[in-house]
Amino acid sequence: MSLLESISGPEDLKRLDAAQLPRLAHELREFMVDAVSKTGGHLGPSLGVVELTIALHRVFASPRDKILFDTGHQAYVHKMLTGRHDWTLLRQRGGLSGYPSRAESEHDLIENSHASTALSYADGLAKAYQLRGENDRAVVAVVGDGALTGGMCWEALNNIAAGKDRPVIIVVNDNGRSYSPTIGGLASHLANLRVTPGYEQALDLIKKTVPRAPVVGTVAYEALHGIKKGLKDVLQPQAMFEDLGMKYVGPIDGHDEEAVERALRKARGFGGPVIVHCITQKGRGYAPAENHEEDCFHGPGAFDPVTGEIKAKGGGPSWTKVFGEEMVAIGGERRDVVGITAAMLYPVGLAPFAHAFPDRIYDVGIAEQHAATSAAGLAMGGLHPVVALYATFLNRAFDQVLMDVALHNLPVTFALDRSGVTGNDGASHNGMWDLSILQLVPGLRLAVPRDGARLRELLRDCVAISDGPSAIRYPKGPIGPDVEAIDTAGGMDVLARHDGANGARVLIVSVGPMAAAAVAAADRLQAQGIGVTVVDPRWVKPLDPALVGLAAGHSMVAVVEDNGRTGGVGDAVGRLLRDAAVDVPLRTFGIPQEFLDHASRGEILTDIGLNEQDLARDITEAVAKVTNTEVPQPTPAD
Ligand SMILES: Cc1ncc(C[n+]2csc(CCOP(=O)(O)OP(=O)(O)O)c2C)c(N)n1
Ligand SMILES: CC(=O)[C@@H](O)[C@H](O)COP(=O)(O)O
Ligand SMILES: [Mg+2]
């Protein structure tokens, strides 16, 4: 039996001799590479915290002590050391979540994979234990250098530092990167100096000698790693933390398990707030990850474990790729267009733009709120920023979109990737709220392209808007074939029109990429003798007034959207028709307003009835109900 197989929880780990730990670390890495090579997942981040996580579970007594992981993508080792051994269905239906999961283990707490939250949880937990008189319980938060660029971390630090007698141990997992490679003079000097003794002197060296790097994102990398530099500046014992009553231990070699254990025991002994600064390497111990320039195997799909070759995802160009291409084209025509990313230059597709226009790209770190309001500043300065985010991360910048951008009618475009059901990344990664929250923003125009051609067209329309904000949203993964219109209605595209044998006629308002399923459902409805028109509004805010007349000519309206049903396009269409006193029954086919368990996008769309067969069946039932007519149900073969 391997050491790893002998560990069903932290108590087993504590019984191992220190001499056995290097072997355990090797087994953990071997297991992860093998397992993740089959399923894909966050291999790089987890390889970087093997020794750190072993030390954590040997020093602290989880679950009585709480060990929190910021973002949670680096928690695979934690999961393996707390009894989870079946990784065959990682991030898939019925398998382990890719993040901590309270349903899986009493050792897991934070399920939200949005970064920069762990320190706030830690502050709250520590206050709770203090109030309950449970002062023997330690609260440990593992936070990455990238997550530390998020504003919430500094709000939390301000509060944690005030709790001089609350044992909050902040373990900074500093591997010098988010996704993006740390290029530029400052970053490369930091990378070299991190492992050089005489850290303080080294830091002085940085301040005096590091030239400003003339490469992409100089300001970006200072911003991206300004917190790290700031962290290093203030982490000197005599600096801010000491004055605030916080201790600082480090920098520690995060791959020297014994050194990390010693530092953690020392930190625990302080009995108050303390930072343990660990220097680690993302992808450590697996050469293809260590040497992967773009992101050190941050979250690869399946790959060949021997060669590290990542298996190509089939299905043609992704939405992200088409967005990136069009941004380069637009950038060549419009010098006022600039790009903003929140530490996700490659994942959001702005890398080609950055390489084509290195002085017009800003990487602000994991700081979506700052990204939105900085964009407002850029727009006030005469530019047209395109802020590229994952749709789910826009949630935390809602006030900035509303009060810093829209209130001032500023020409900022938000490009929201991974919108709708993303699936395998679990509940907090589905982009299912943006169409609802953006409905609330006065003056913001909201476009939802159905295919690549419309993505290009509507992105251009967005950056052409100069008197207010715009947003465009599209899903994860490959783009299907273009869905051409057969007619127009006002500014909307008519995608299908079938007369029916009986009087009932359904208007399907198909939002964005739901077009293919909507058109296929219409064909099924036609086969049952139900008249149907499919229309793609292209802009879901403001809606085209022509929709009123179109709806008035139908027995029922079905809105199909890859967004939560509450407050989305369906509700907006209903409001439009009510305001026009058009009394046509309306049904919204969308995502239930729930947190969805991890599974593939296809599985979830089927679960929630957004595939063509279920849409046809459910629309048929709705038509029968509203028209009191017998309508034959589609046979399963249909
Ligand atoms: C609010 C938010 N924005 C963006 C992301 C996407 N994201 C996931 S991990 C990551 C990088 C995290 O870097 P770091 O905290 O240093 O952890 P590491 O991956 O280096 O271990 C990013 C940007 C996120 N999860 N949450
Ligand atoms: C943890 C995190 O937020 C990201 O790494 C996310 O898992 C990336 O998702 P994609 O694979 O869709 O880029
Ligand atoms: Mg990092």
Coordinates of all heavy atoms in Angstrom, one line a residue, residues 42 71 73 91 99 113 179 298-299 347 390 393 418 425 429 476, ligand 2:
H42 N -7.4 21.7 -12.3 CA -6.4 22.8 -11.9 C -5.2 22.1 -11.3 O -4.9 22.1 -10.1 CB -7.1 23.7 -10.8 CG -8.1 24.6 -11.4 ND1 -9.5 24.3 -11.3 CD2 -8.0 25.6 -12.2 CE1 -10.1 25.3 -12.0 NE2 -9.2 26.1 -12.5
T71 N -10.3 31.0 -3.6 CA -10.6 30.5 -5.0 C -10.9 29.0 -5.0 O -11.8 28.5 -5.6 CB -9.5 30.9 -6.0 OG1 -9.1 32.2 -5.8 CG2 -10.0 30.7 -7.4
H73 N -9.2 26.5 -6.2 CA -8.8 25.7 -7.3 C -7.5 24.9 -7.0 O -7.1 24.0 -7.7 CB -8.5 26.6 -8.5 CG -7.5 27.6 -8.3 ND1 -7.4 28.4 -7.2 CD2 -6.4 28.0 -9.1 CE1 -6.4 29.2 -7.3 NE2 -5.8 29.0 -8.4
R91 N -14.8 17.0 -11.4 CA -15.6 18.1 -12.1 C -16.7 17.6 -13.0 O -17.2 18.3 -13.8 CB -14.6 19.0 -12.9 CG -13.6 19.7 -12.0 CD -12.4 20.2 -12.7 NE -12.6 20.6 -14.1 CZ -12.7 21.9 -14.5 NH1 -12.7 22.8 -13.6 NH2 -12.9 22.2 -15.8
Y99 N -13.6 22.2 -6.6 CA -13.4 23.1 -5.5 C -13.8 22.5 -4.2 O -14.4 21.4 -4.2 CB -14.2 24.4 -5.8 CG -13.9 25.1 -7.1 CD1 -14.6 24.8 -8.2 CD2 -12.8 25.9 -7.2 CE1 -14.3 25.3 -9.5 CE2 -12.4 26.5 -8.5 CZ -13.2 26.2 -9.6 OH -12.9 26.7 -10.8
S113 N -15.9 29.9 -6.0 CA -14.6 29.9 -6.6 C -14.2 31.3 -7.1 O -13.3 31.5 -7.9 CB -14.6 29.0 -7.8 OG -15.6 29.3 -8.7
Y179 N -2.7 33.6 -13.8 CA -2.5 32.8 -15.0 C -1.3 33.2 -15.7 O -0.4 32.5 -16.0 CB -3.6 33.0 -16.0 CG -4.9 32.4 -15.8 CD1 -5.8 32.9 -14.8 CD2 -5.4 31.3 -16.5 CE1 -7.1 32.4 -14.7 CE2 -6.6 30.8 -16.4 CZ -7.5 31.4 -15.5 OH -8.7 30.8 -15.3
H298 N -2.4 25.9 -15.5 CA -3.4 26.4 -14.5 C -4.7 25.6 -14.5 O -5.2 25.2 -13.4 CB -3.7 27.9 -14.9 CG -4.8 28.4 -14.0 ND1 -4.5 29.0 -12.8 CD2 -6.2 28.4 -14.1 CE1 -5.7 29.4 -12.2 NE2 -6.7 29.0 -13.0
G299 N -5.2 25.3 -15.7 CA -6.4 24.5 -15.7 C -6.6 23.8 -17.0 O -7.5 24.0 -17.8
P347 N -7.2 33.6 -21.0 CA -8.5 33.0 -21.0 C -9.7 33.8 -21.6 O -10.6 33.3 -22.1 CB -8.8 32.8 -19.5 CG -7.4 32.8 -18.9 CD -6.6 33.7 -19.7
Y390 N -15.1 37.1 -17.4 CA -16.1 36.0 -17.3 C -17.4 36.6 -16.8 O -17.3 37.3 -15.8 CB -15.6 34.8 -16.5 CG -14.5 34.0 -17.1 CD1 -13.9 34.3 -18.3 CD2 -14.2 32.8 -16.5 CE1 -12.9 33.5 -18.8 CE2 -13.2 31.9 -17.1 CZ -12.6 32.3 -18.2 OH -11.6 31.5 -18.8
F393 N -18.0 36.8 -13.0 CA -17.2 37.8 -12.3 C -17.6 39.2 -12.4 O -17.2 40.1 -11.6 CB -15.7 37.6 -12.6 CG -15.1 36.2 -12.5 CD1 -14.3 35.7 -13.4 CD2 -15.5 35.5 -11.4 CE1 -13.8 34.4 -13.3 CE2 -15.0 34.2 -11.2 CZ -14.2 33.6 -12.1
R418 N -17.9 33.1 -21.2 CA -18.4 32.0 -20.2 C -19.8 32.4 -19.7 O -20.1 32.1 -18.6 CB -17.4 31.8 -19.1 CG -16.1 31.1 -19.2 CD -15.5 30.8 -20.5 NE -14.3 30.1 -20.4 CZ -13.2 30.4 -21.1 NH1 -13.3 31.4 -22.0 NH2 -12.1 29.7 -21.0
D425 N -17.3 23.8 -13.8 CA -16.7 24.6 -12.7 C -17.6 24.8 -11.6 O -17.3 25.6 -10.7 CB -16.2 25.9 -13.3 CG -14.7 25.9 -13.6 OD1 -13.9 25.4 -12.7 OD2 -14.2 26.3 -14.6
H429 N -19.5 29.4 -11.1 CA -18.9 29.8 -12.4 C -19.9 29.9 -13.5 O -19.6 30.3 -14.6 CB -17.8 28.8 -12.8 CG -16.4 29.3 -12.5 ND1 -15.9 29.4 -11.2 CD2 -15.5 29.8 -13.3 CE1 -14.7 29.9 -11.3 NE2 -14.4 30.2 -12.5
K476 N -19.1 29.6 -23.2 CA -17.8 28.9 -23.3 C -17.9 27.9 -24.4 O -18.9 27.5 -24.8 CB -17.7 28.1 -22.0 CG -16.5 27.2 -21.9 CD -16.3 26.7 -20.5 CE -15.0 25.9 -20.3 NZ -14.7 25.5 -18.9
Ligands
LIG2 C1 -10.6 28.8 -11.0 C2 -11.1 29.7 -12.0 O1 -11.8 30.6 -11.9 C3 -10.6 29.5 -13.4 O2 -9.4 28.8 -13.5 C4 -11.7 28.7 -14.2 O3 -11.7 27.4 -13.7 C5 -11.4 28.7 -15.6 O4 -12.4 28.3 -16.3 P1 -12.3 28.0 -17.9 O5 -11.7 26.7 -18.0 O6 -13.7 28.1 -18.5 O7 -11.3 29.1 -18.5

